[in-house]
Amino acid sequence: PQEIRDRIKLQTHLNLTDIELDRLVPMKAWLAQRHLRKRAGPNIQHLIAHLNVSINDLKQIILEEPSLLDLSLLKTIQPRMDMLTQAGCLPTDIGKIVMLSEKKADEYCAICHLCRRLGITSSQKDRLFDSVSSTTRPQSSIGLMEKVDYLLHHAFEGSKQKLRAAIIKEPALLKKSLKQTIQPRTEVLQYLESIGLKHHPSDMTGYFTQPESAFTKKLVPKVNNWHPSALDQGHIGNDLKDGSTMQESDNDILATLKDFSLPLTAFAYSDESNRDGARVVHWK
């Protein structure tokens, strides 16, 4: 029968062993699924033309993702190939995203892009995607790249090497919200530095991924009480350049830190009743 001859032709084309052929297209499935027989040949020809790989490499890609033989070329395979091309990803990754939803595939392409940008290897990229994509809601490529750009320029001093090491060490860093976690915690460091209390966390990755309760306890690890005299060593004096007083500056400090959405018990004035339980005390 023609169906049997077509199956043998497929085996010859991909240089498949009998075991590989039975695994890829079992005889029962091949005879029962007309769309599989109809699509297999054109799909293989399309992949050969666009992947620029050897037959053995193509065979491996298809064995890892057999659905490449019976998915729609126009509705699924070609659109996913276009996504990979636009993101600068390897076309040979088609088998890794062809069965993903559009949003998950977009997230994969974004991770491919940032891995290429930061010099992250292919094997590290797969681990990174598996970790980041475990979230129930995929991240958009734009949102992910905004997060990486912010981390690179504001938290890791423009060092791709430091950011790469942090992401490889703890992929969960990329799962943290830019607006709710990464940006506020970065601004805390910038603010502490601006008032003469420069703080460099020993574990920058852990600084962003730690729970809120742990973050609050470590906010100012070397200062038990926030006293105005702590500012004397900085660039702020009793008479500030803008004409405001030290008390007004203290008020601004407290107001600003409270804007970081930390528990309010972490900050108190020296004459407030809750100062004993506060992490930072502003002395009047």
Side-chain angles (χ1 to χ4, degrees):
Q2 185 61 45
E3 292 83 359
I4 302 298
R5 289 195 293 272
D6 289 342
R7 186 169 181 266
I8 294 174
K9 183 179 178 181
L10 172 67
Q11 179 180 17
T12 303
H13 200 168
L14 291 178
N15 193 27
L16 297 166
T17 65
D18 290 341
I19 294 176
E20 290 171 337
L21 179 65
D22 289 338
R23 186 177 120 204
L24 185 62
V25 283
M27 179 66 78
K28 184 176 181 180
W30 180 259
L31 295 176
Q33 299 176 28
R34 181 173 179 272
H35 66 86
L36 172 59
R37 301 194 305 272
K38 181 179 178 180
R39 292 174 176 173
N43 285 6
I44 289 174
Q45 292 300 326
H46 182 85
L47 293 172
I48 290 174
H50 290 82
L51 298 188
N52 192 29
V53 295
S54 68
I55 290 298
N56 283 334
D57 288 339
L58 176 61
K59 177 179 74 171
Q60 190 59 40
I61 291 171
I62 294 177
L63 285 172
E64 290 177 358
E65 187 48 78
S67 62
L68 285 168
L69 291 181
D70 63 354
L71 286 171
S72 169
L73 183 59
L74 294 179
K75 292 182 179 180
T76 305
I77 296 178
Q78 185 59 58
R80 292 294 184 272
M81 292 282 287
D82 291 341
M83 290 179 69
L84 290 170
T85 301
Q86 291 169 8
C89 304
L90 293 174
T92 49
D93 282 350
I94 182 63
K96 297 178 180 179
I97 72 167
V98 73
M99 292 299 292
L100 298 179
S101 67
E102 185 173 353
K103 289 184 178 180
K104 283 285 187 182
D106 181 60
E107 184 180 48
Y108 181 89
C109 289
I111 289 176
C112 276
H113 179 78
L114 78 87
C115 286
R116 190 176 71 255
R117 179 181 176 188
L118 298 177
I120 296 175
T121 66
S122 179
S123 60
Q124 291 169 334
K125 176 196 68 179
D126 292 340
R127 173 177 171 268
L128 182 61
F129 177 71
D130 290 342
S131 177
V132 174
S133 66
S134 64
T135 55
T136 55
R137 185 177 181 181
Q139 302 183 69
S140 70
S141 57
I142 294 176
L144 189 58
M145 296 316 300
E146 285 181 348
K147 188 183 302 183
V148 170
D149 283 337
Y150 186 90
L151 283 167
L152 177 62
H153 297 294
H154 297 279
F156 289 88
E157 303 172 333
S159 173
K160 292 182 180 181
Q161 182 178 0
K162 291 179 180 179
L163 179 56
R164 177 175 66 246
I167 291 174
I168 292 173
K169 177 183 177 182
E170 185 49 81
L173 176 61
L174 295 180
K175 295 165 68 173
K176 292 297 180 179
S177 167
L178 174 60
K179 299 298 183 183
Q180 297 179 13
T181 302
I182 294 175
Q183 188 171 339
R185 292 190 184 185
T186 300
E187 290 174 353
V188 166
L189 293 180
Q190 293 172 340
Y191 189 75
L192 291 176
E193 181 177 357
S194 74
I195 60 173
L197 294 172
K198 194 169 185 178
H199 172 48
H200 291 294
S202 57
D203 179 8
M204 197 65 169
T205 308
Y207 174 77
F208 288 109
T209 57
Q210 65 186 318
E212 197 68 25
S213 57
F215 171 70
T216 303
K217 291 179 181 179
K218 296 178 181 178
L219 178 62
V220 190
K222 296 181 179 179
V223 180
N224 291 324
N225 293 309
W226 193 316
H227 191 283
S229 61
L231 303 179
D232 291 342
Q233 298 177 0
H235 62 278
I236 303 177
N238 289 328
D239 295 322
L240 303 181
K241 293 181 179 180
D242 61 2
S244 59
T245 65
M246 180 62 75
Q247 181 60 57
E248 291 171 340
S249 176
D250 288 346
N251 293 340
D252 290 341
I253 291 171
L254 182 59
T256 302
L257 288 173
K258 285 185 176 180
D259 285 341
F260 287 122
S261 301
L262 298 171
L264 296 185
T265 54
F267 312 102
Y269 283 120
S270 58
D271 59 356
E272 290 181 326
S273 59
N274 64 340
R275 83 176 194 188
D276 290 339
R279 183 71 182 91
V280 177
V281 176
H282 291 258
W283 289 86
K284 294 186 175 180

